[in-house]
Amino acid sequence: MLGALLLLLQATPALPRPVAPAPREHPQLTILVVVDQMRPDYFTRFGAQFTGGFRRILDTGTLYLAGRQDHAMTETAPGHSTLLSGRNPAATGILSNDNGVNDSTYPIVGGGTGDAASPLRFQGTTLFDWMLARDPATRVFSVSRKDRGAILPVGRAKTDVYWWTGGRWGTSRYYRDTLPGWLQRYNTRPGWRQFLGAAWRPLLPDSAYPERDSVPWEHRGRDFTFPHLAPADSATMSWRIIYYPWMDSLTLDVALEGARQVGLGQRADGTDLLVVSLSTTDRMGHDYGPDSREMHDHLLRLDRWLGWFADSLGRLVPAERTLWVLSADHGVQSWAEHTRDAGGQAGRVSFWPMVDTLRRELRARWHTDFSLAEEDGLIYGDVAAMRDRGIDVGALAARLASAAHRYEGVWNVYTPRTLARAPRTAPEAGYWRRAIPPGQGWLIAASIRPGYVWGHTDHGSTNLLDRAVPIAFWGWHVRPARPAREARTVDIAPTLAALLGLAPTQAVEGRPLPELVRARR
């Protein structure tokens, strides 16, 4: 709890105490919390040890443990694009992380580091746009450790969107030319510096963790046992902080300060929006795995920090006037090494040798590789340019599909031709149709068997555990419930719209969740 305690001791201006609430048709503040790589079974595995924010969901919320990202390419950027748009990645235009918010024309401002970014690939609208259509005074604040986590839930609006830019919170020139004064001052606080040389130790006694601590395939075979010591020098820690659980506490702290500075939820009439995307669960999953003691400990800490955040936010906006929703951008499978260790069949699949060979062939023949790339089973590139040079793209795709089928763990491969002919009821075809935007050039789209993962990404496949996410609502007018049926992340925005009494301004693929809408009537 060192991080939470130190955050509470920071010099922060006193928050106003809320006045007694009066009856109100709509909440003052709607809050989306995204926990990157959050699996729904964490609620049942660790629920007895939760005492903070996750405990409130379990006790007071409507929690869908059968939540789903309903598309292939289960990565951070596509998943975030679904959460407040009501549409799948094929409609939002966000194919993958590499085809997400990266945009060299909008560099970082405020002295931070990181890749230039903008939402210009995002197509269509989000809940914030629908809120603006009804009330031009609607305010939003969105923040994440990752640029795509902050940007994509809001869409293309030029507003208060910030992310971690290496040692400080910042944004890109798409949104503003300079950081607001309050954020410049905030960046001078101790923040991450208070953890220089700190030791990450388990929050609870060893007996509280059933997971083994010493697992040599974790963390690339180094520093895979507690305690984990943070760097003591500022130059290293300014970028290494994201590898420690404390990063989420810093994200929640700046979200609270941003909500206060922007004045979220302070209007006499109207609803504002706060988006907080917490990225450290994803970091823990990639470094140690979803079945590790480190993941378990991090979730216990995050639970406490979310409770602190809700209590602190409640001093700005009364708890009964806030509507919360929590979900994730994707899930994750157990590491192949963990599955094999438990006696299961598993492995890691990589098409890169095949893609590298093809790129060399294309460069030798055409002096270009046509931007050929591979992510999570999708091989794509400038297919139009291939056709312009007389390449038989259909034959090339069939050749790649035949080669892909020979990889261990691969069980389904589509080409553009075979995907178009696949039955509408075929689940795998549906995931890929909802993932690939129209006009995107591609050659093959492959699925792998459960237990197998793509390369070293650990998630990204169409398998259930990669698509499975929790979806939870709590707060304003939400009743405790545990619906057993499936819910999709594209259902979140239409549900919030129904609860807020507004309509999407464009067609959406999601539907309001009846358990929430009926409870409101």
Side-chain angles (χ1 to χ4, degrees):
M1 294 298 289
L2 173 63
L5 177 62
L6 289 170
L7 285 174
L8 290 170
L9 293 177
Q10 283 189 24
T12 304
L15 299 173
R17 294 187 177 277
V19 297
R24 185 181 172 92
E25 184 180 359
H26 303 301
Q28 290 175 231
L29 182 62
T30 296
I31 306 157
L32 170 67
V33 177
V34 187
V35 182
D36 196 320
Q37 202 186 115
M38 180 75 174
R39 282 171 45 156
D41 65 301
Y42 291 152
F43 279 98
T44 52
R45 286 167 63 181
F46 311 131
Q49 296 174 321
F50 290 153
T51 63
F54 293 149
R55 169 51 50 191
R56 296 180 197 190
I57 293 174
L58 287 167
D59 290 346
T60 69
T62 294
L63 171 60
Y64 297 85
L65 290 175
R68 303 286 184 262
Q69 289 281 0
D70 201 27
H71 56 87
M73 304 290 285
T74 43
E75 299 179 354
T76 295
H80 273 87
S81 79
T82 70
L83 292 168
L84 291 183
S85 69
R87 295 170 294 119
N88 284 295
T92 65
I94 304 300
L95 173 68
S96 65
N97 288 340
D98 288 349
N99 293 267
V101 301
N102 44 314
D103 186 342
S104 61
T105 59
Y106 292 99
I108 299 297
V109 300
T113 60
D115 296 331
S118 85
L120 288 182
R121 282 193 184 89
F122 183 90
Q123 301 297 315
T125 61
T126 68
L127 177 71
F128 179 58
D129 297 303
W130 312 341
M131 295 169 75
L132 279 176
R134 180 176 69 183
D135 180 4
T138 301
R139 301 166 183 156
V140 65
F141 185 86
S142 183
V143 66
S144 174
R145 193 265 287 175
K146 297 181 180 180
D147 50 8
R148 49 197 179 271
I151 292 170
L152 292 170
V154 176
R156 298 177 73 159
K158 295 187 175 184
T159 184
D160 286 291
V161 176
Y162 304 96
W163 58 91
W164 186 249
T165 60
R168 68 192 71 196
W169 297 99
T171 190
S172 80
R173 202 166 294 279
Y174 176 86
Y175 295 99
R176 55 194 313 137
D177 294 329
T178 59
L179 296 183
W182 73 265
L183 189 54
Q184 294 181 41
R185 294 187 295 273
Y186 185 91
N187 279 330
T188 66
R189 294 183 183 181
W192 57 270
R193 300 171 188 87
Q194 63 197 297
F195 301 109
L196 288 171
W200 173 19
R201 304 178 188 277
L203 185 66
L204 301 180
D206 286 349
S207 59
Y209 302 89
E211 305 86 5
R212 288 184 294 158
D213 185 22
S214 180
V215 181
W217 59 72
E218 294 176 1
H219 210 232
R220 299 184 180 180
R222 54 183 174 79
D223 189 22
F224 50 81
T225 60
F226 281 108
H228 301 288
L229 302 180
D233 64 290
S234 296
T236 303
M237 189 58 169
S238 65
W239 63 270
R240 286 289 301 172
I241 182 64
I242 69 171
Y243 293 87
Y244 297 90
W246 310 308
M247 187 69 227
D248 277 352
S249 69
L250 299 174
T251 306
L252 290 168
D253 192 59
V254 74
L256 179 65
E257 181 67 5
R260 190 184 74 84
Q261 293 288 344
V262 176
L264 295 186
Q266 301 304 304
R267 296 180 295 144
D269 189 23
T271 304
D272 293 325
L273 178 64
L274 174 62
V275 177
V276 187
S277 181
L278 301 163
S279 306
T280 310
T281 305
D282 186 69
R283 188 69 265 161
M284 295 297 131
H286 286 300
D287 286 347
Y288 302 99
D291 304 290
S292 63
R293 180 173 293 197
E294 283 81 1
M295 176 64 82
H296 185 167
D297 188 71
H298 169 66
L299 290 167
L300 297 181
R301 293 170 179 273
L302 180 55
D303 165 66
R304 275 72 167 168
W305 289 329
L306 281 171
W308 166 82
F309 178 66
D311 289 342
S312 301
L313 196 63
R315 298 178 62 193
L316 280 175
V317 183
E320 60 270 28
R321 288 184 170 176
T322 57
L323 173 60
W324 296 76
V325 59
L326 177 143
S327 192
D329 50 354
H330 55 78
V332 66
Q333 294 190 95
S334 294
W335 278 13
E337 295 81 1
H338 177 89
T339 301
R340 285 198 300 261
D341 189 59
Q345 184 175 1
R348 294 184 178 271
V349 183
S350 175
F351 286 163
W352 267 112
M354 177 171 62
V355 171
D356 185 58
T357 298
L358 178 58
R359 292 176 73 174
R360 285 188 278 107
E361 290 177 2
L362 292 171
R363 281 195 295 266
R365 174 65 180 84
W366 299 101
H367 304 287
T368 176
D369 62 11
F370 299 97
S371 302
L372 201 68
E374 188 274 339
E375 287 182 83
D376 297 333
L378 183 72
I379 298 180
Y380 61 94
D382 193 347
V383 173
M386 292 181 183
R387 290 196 179 96
D388 289 344
R389 285 161 176 79
I391 296 175
D392 187 338
V393 173
L396 176 59
R399 167 189 153 191
L400 290 173
S402 178
H405 271 297
R406 293 193 289 271
Y407 279 70
E408 180 186 350
V410 173
W411 72 280
N412 197 326
V413 184
Y414 290 106
T415 67
R417 183 175 300 166
T418 60
L419 183 62
R421 295 173 178 175
R424 306 304 298 182
T425 55
E428 292 295 316
Y431 301 143
W432 282 110
R433 288 185 180 117
R434 291 187 287 272
I436 304 175
Q440 172 65 50
W442 62 283
L443 296 168
I444 66 168
S447 299
I448 48 180
R449 300 182 186 280
Y452 288 82
V453 298
W454 287 115
H456 296 283
T457 61
D458 308 317
H459 59 80
S461 78
T462 58
N463 288 325
L464 177 59
L465 286 178
D466 281 349
R467 295 185 297 104
V469 296
I471 297 176
F473 293 77
W474 74 104
W476 182 81
H477 287 302
V478 176
R479 300 171 186 172
R482 196 74 58 84
R485 68 177 185 83
E486 288 189 5
R488 303 167 300 163
T489 57
V490 293
D491 298 328
I492 292 173
T495 301
L496 288 174
L499 292 173
L500 298 179
L502 53 86
T505 58
Q506 70 173 128
V508 296
E509 296 168 85
R511 297 290 181 267
L513 294 167
E515 295 83 2
L516 277 301
V517 177
R518 282 199 301 262
R520 176 68 183 95
R521 290 172 182 165

